[in-house]
Each structure stands twice: as C-alpha cells, then as structure tokens.
Amino acid sequence: QVQLVESGGGSVEAGGSLRLSCAASGLPFWGYRMGWFRQTPGKEREGVASIRSNGVSTTYGDSVKGRFTISRENVKNTLYLQMNSLKPEDTGMYYCAAVEEWTMGWVLSSALYKYWGQGTQVTVSS
C-alpha cells in the first residue's frame, strides 16, 4: 500500500521560511517522479515543483521560481520542499504526489500523478 505523508507545514510571517517533507512508503521511491502541489478553497490544485527520480532535473511553477527548492533523498524515501521568502499568496494546503518516472505528460499537472498524500497546511501572514 502506497503512503505519502507530508509534514513541516505551519504558520509563518511573510518573508519567512518553511521546509516541507514527504515520507514515501510502499513504492520503489527511486523509480518515481515526485511533485509538490498546493490548493486553496475554491481554486484548482496548482503545480509548485517537480523532480525526476534521479533528483537531477527539476521544474518549478512561475510563482515560486527563485524562492522554492525541491529536493529528494532516495536512500531515505523522502521528498523536500524548501520555501523561502514566503508570501501571503503562498498560503494553502500543500500536497506531495508521485508518478512512475516513465509516465509522459506535463510534470506540473495534477492529472499526471498517481499517488497523493493528505496534505500539510501552510499559512503565511502579512
């Protein structure tokens, strides 16, 4: 049974930082592309960042480029999202997601991903 468990969310003031983690189990983590998504009520789930199975290639949404960094430790089956210079518009529920590396499609589209975590809330106050 595949499980993705996010942690590290919380409340922070604008300009602050948070580091999210996603612990994966029940799948060969080294063979999966991973992504971070976020969602606020009434809006579609937005692709934040994605990383290939080998950790070399990354893709970011325009709104987070230069502020967020996605990374992974395959030996620990863990995905990370370092978020710096946070803004109030970064507020939302953050989800990690996984899909087999060979799956074709836009890597920041939620439709591509097969497995999802339950999410961790991030709140940024002005």
Side-chain angles (χ1 to χ4, degrees), residues 20-92:
L20 306 184
S21 299
C22 172
S25 60
L27 78 171
F29 186 72
W30 50 265
Y32 277 71
R33 170 180 287 279
M34 301 296 295
W36 285 102
F37 292 78
R38 65 187 181 191
Q39 190 169 23
T40 53
K43 292 187 177 181
E44 289 189 2
R45 196 164 289 190
E46 175 190 8
V48 174
S50 178
I51 188 168
R52 284 194 64 181
S53 58
N54 61 8
V56 174
S57 177
T58 57
T59 304
Y60 294 93
D62 288 341
S63 62
V64 306
K65 281 180 181 176
R67 300 188 298 122
F68 291 11
T69 302
I70 188 171
S71 61
R72 63 192 294 164
E73 286 190 83
N74 284 354
V75 294
K76 294 184 177 181
N77 287 0
T78 303
L79 175 73
Y80 304 100
L81 185 68
Q82 177 67 43
M83 304 187 295
N84 298 329
S85 302
L86 282 161
K87 304 176 181 180
E89 51 263 45
D90 294 319
T91 294

Side-chain angles (χ1 to χ4, degrees), residues 69-124:
T69 302
I70 188 171
S71 61
R72 63 192 294 164
E73 286 190 83
N74 284 354
V75 294
K76 294 184 177 181
N77 287 0
T78 303
L79 175 73
Y80 304 100
L81 185 68
Q82 177 67 43
M83 304 187 295
N84 298 329
S85 302
L86 282 161
K87 304 176 181 180
E89 51 263 45
D90 294 319
T91 294
M93 187 70 78
Y94 282 69
Y95 300 89
C96 71
V99 65
E100 290 92 341
E101 175 65 37
W102 47 260
T103 304
M104 302 299 292
W106 172 230
V107 297
L108 293 183
S109 169
S110 60
L112 181 70
Y113 290 80
K114 187 173 183 179
Y115 300 109
W116 292 85
Q118 293 299 306
T120 185
Q121 177 68 34
V122 171
T123 303
V124 184

